[in-house]
Amino acid sequence: MSHDNPAPPVPALFPPQSERDRWDEYLTREMARANERIARHSVVPTIDMARLRADLAAFDFGEPRGLDELLPWTIAQIEQGVVHMSNPRYFGLFNPMPSFPAQCGDRITGAFNPQLATATTSPAAVEIEAHVIRAVARRAGLPEGSSGHFTSGGSEANYTAVISALTKAHDRFGIDGARAFDGPPVFYISRESHLAWVKIAHQAGIGRSAVRQVATDGTGRMDARALATMIADDRAQGRVPVLIVATLGTTNAGMIDPIAACAELAREHGMWLHADAAWGGGVIASDRLRPALAGIERADSITIDAHKWFATTMGCGMFMTRHPEILSAAFQVSTGFMPSNTATVDPYVNTAQWSRRFLGVRLFLALGAAGWRGYAQHVERSVDLIALLAERVRALGWRIANDSTLAVLCIEPPAGSPDARTIGARVLASGRAWVAVAKYEGRDVIRVCLTHGEATASDIEQLVDALTNALRPTP
Ligand SMILES: Cc1ncc(COP(=O)(O)O)c(C=O)c1O
């Protein structure tokens, strides 16, 4: 084949439309059936990994195989080989059953595959994302003019907070890095916060020792007095405090740090205040529940993950700030090959990413379809079901360790029972429910978080039954 007579497109990669329609219909039907089975069967993987590895070994990619073989095989492996968020008895870390409009968004994105590096290449998509971010920032209480962007998740959003705080703290940080400061820059998180902060400090080049872990008050909240003392000590020793992170909804226990006290200290010391509301932020939808986050509006920046309580597909985080100009300062770069370079507009010069997937369409569609009222109902029903669980297990002699208004319960078994780790392992082995074993204020607890938007009281009863059975050894 010569260059003036190129080969035709590869039909295995770009099949004719009639074939695509057939596979689309197959996938829609098969995924619906698989999800029905998943809701009835094991939450945890049942796959024989030796068999999977043997099957995989036969995929040497020498000879092509048909989609009629590949698609059913792949669906079957995933159906048997992952913990299922789409099972309503997945009471796990905050990975929800994705809402249907969010899944529609993924299909649209997958088919068009727009490049969101610049507004020039994808003006409509960039505008839709910016509109949603502004709406969420306003709802969270940030002032007019606040903005931000979608991220791969909470970790990228929190990384963006650290880079923003450092950029704000010293106008030479972007050029000289940590060397710009008179002493080592440091930031403050609570011991119960999401410890991705440690690797974020590593990535940001300020080192893991820049993360100052503040003691908690015995109930999972940052101890504001300990924070004040730590800042004063650090200053006295020549460190440069740049950022306080208030976690609004700790990962383990849904506890809310004292953000008003954090805001006062941040103001007093000229530091950036970030609110990590990665999963707790979902309650901004509900007038009933949002008082739990009072003070969030004082933050310089906020993380909320759409792929947590807003139930979009992963990964879909959000970073919002009242100082959008900092993003342009932090992520600016100039190249000849990009079609535009507009501060506060083009995502590649305002965010950590370059090529970008159209993430925000999932929240746009879900928020458009449900409205804030629908999301209020969504978060309130989770909280109500967790309250039902609290009532049921308390009556059976379990102790409720945390005092959260969010949809997470940390429980300790009745006196004389096996320890939390044994109970957690037995629940998972039963395949009837997925719960985590977590540390809360230094103690092992069973952590139950309601993440599935279609879970019902009957799922709570089944969990209670699985927990009760786990108190005695299996015969
Ligand atoms: C409070 C908090 N912050 C940050 C994260 C990290 O988010 P992601 O897993 O989306 O990177 C989590 C994840 O559970 C979290 O609970």
Side-chain angles (χ1 to χ4, degrees):
M1 205 63 65
S2 72
H3 66 274
D4 52 353
N5 185 18
V10 179
L13 298 179
F14 305 100
Q17 191 58 45
S18 58
E19 221 174 291
R20 295 182 195 207
D21 290 346
R22 189 160 65 77
W23 288 121
D24 259 351
E25 281 162 29
Y26 166 82
L27 278 176
T28 303
R29 196 176 57 242
E30 279 309 303
M31 291 311 298
R33 283 188 188 150
N35 270 329
E36 273 171 32
R37 286 191 297 271
I38 286 164
R40 287 195 307 273
H41 294 135
S42 175
V43 189
V44 298
T46 53
I47 196 158
D48 173 350
M49 287 299 288
R51 200 225 359 98
L52 171 70
R53 290 192 187 105
D55 281 6
L56 273 176
F59 282 96
D60 63 1
F61 309 114
E63 284 306 311
R65 303 195 191 197
L67 286 180
D68 50 349
E69 180 191 354
L70 289 165
L71 291 178
W73 184 86
T74 305
I75 293 172
Q77 308 320 302
I78 304 306
E79 186 176 339
Q80 296 159 28
V82 300
V83 171
H84 283 299
M85 277 90 238
S86 55
N87 182 307
R89 286 168 305 286
Y90 172 73
F91 297 101
L93 307 173
F94 218 107
N95 317 118
M97 168 68 186
S99 74
F100 182 68
Q103 294 185 50
C104 295
D106 259 352
R107 283 185 77 162
I108 293 171
T109 295
F112 285 124
N113 200 28
Q115 165 60 292
L116 268 73
T118 68
T120 311
T121 40
S122 299
V126 169
E127 193 69 28
I128 289 170
E129 284 201 342
H131 180 78
V132 177
I133 287 288
R134 284 194 297 266
V136 178
R138 258 199 317 276
R139 183 87 190 178
L142 290 182
E144 215 44 54
S146 298
S147 161
H149 53 269
F150 283 90
T151 63
S152 56
S155 297
E156 185 196 327
N158 287 346
Y159 168 79
T160 305
V162 170
I163 297 295
S164 300
L166 288 162
T167 304
K168 183 91 183 337
H170 202 298
D171 57 8
R172 295 282 305 173
F173 171 72
I175 306 296
D176 297 331
R179 293 185 303 280
F181 292 91
D182 292 337
V186 291
F187 69 91
Y188 301 85
I189 59 171
S190 97
R191 269 194 209 143
E192 292 272 329
S193 67
H194 191 281
L195 292 182
W197 291 108
V198 175
K199 63 180 198 177
I200 288 170
H202 186 148
Q203 285 168 258
I206 54 174
R208 291 168 181 242
S209 63
V211 183
R212 315 292 287 152
Q213 295 193 29
V214 182
T216 45
D217 63 357
T219 71
R221 300 173 175 92
M222 183 188 274
D223 179 338
R225 271 189 310 216
L227 171 64
T229 307
M230 219 169 184
I231 294 172
D233 287 353
D234 280 342
R235 292 190 90 106
Q237 290 177 39
R239 300 189 185 100
V240 183
V242 293
L243 159 72
I244 300 173
V245 177
T247 306
L248 306 186
T250 56
T251 313
N252 275 345
M255 304 310 295
I256 312 279
D257 283 343
I259 190 162
C262 292
E264 282 312 307
L265 283 166
R267 195 185 46 76
E268 189 184 321
H269 294 280
M271 298 161 74
W272 186 279
L273 175 66
H274 180 70
D276 180 5
W279 79 269
V283 301
I284 62 170
S286 157
D287 290 340
R288 186 185 115 197
L289 299 172
R290 65 180 301 161
L293 303 191
I296 189 173
E297 67 286 349
R298 298 179 68 175
D300 293 292
S301 58
I302 301 176
T303 290
I304 300 181
D305 272 352
H307 71 207
K308 291 194 165 76
W309 218 344
F310 284 111
T312 71
T313 49
M314 288 187 271
C316 194
M318 289 178 280
F319 176 82
M320 292 156 286
T321 177
R322 61 175 67 235
H323 313 288
E325 69 287 352
I326 283 291
L327 294 170
S328 308
F331 297 108
Q332 180 56 238
V333 59
S334 183
T335 72
F337 58 82
M338 293 301 279
S340 54
N341 186 320
T342 315
T344 76
V345 174
D346 282 330
Y348 84 104
V349 288
N350 293 284
T351 75
Q353 298 182 29
W354 198 285
S355 287
R356 290 173 58 84
R357 186 176 169 87
F358 187 17
L359 302 173
V361 65
R362 312 169 207 180
L363 187 58
F364 171 73
L365 289 173
L367 204 44
W372 288 112
R373 264 207 314 280
Y375 267 116
Q377 187 176 329
H378 170 70
V379 294
E380 286 168 12
R381 74 185 298 285
S382 311
V383 167
D384 293 344
L385 284 165
I386 283 291
L388 171 66
L389 173 68
E391 200 179 292
R392 292 284 288 110
V393 293
R394 201 183 278 117
L396 293 169
W398 293 68
R399 210 178 77 76
I400 312 295
N402 65 333
D403 171 28
S404 173
T405 48
L406 307 181
V408 64
L409 206 61
C410 294
I411 53 178
E412 292 171 294
S417 308
D419 59 28
R421 290 203 171 269
T422 307
I423 294 174
R426 285 181 185 164
V427 171
L428 263 54
S430 77
R432 297 179 64 196
W434 199 97
V435 293
V437 178
K439 278 248 185 273
Y440 171 68
E441 290 289 359
R443 304 195 304 275
D444 281 344
V445 293
I446 304 274
R447 174 191 179 279
V448 183
C449 182
L450 199 121
T451 67
H452 196 299
E454 293 175 298
T456 63
S458 145
D459 296 307
I460 296 293
E461 289 310 324
Q462 291 193 55
L463 172 61
V464 171
D465 200 45
L467 286 168
T468 306
N469 284 341
L471 296 180
R472 31 182 193 267
T474 32

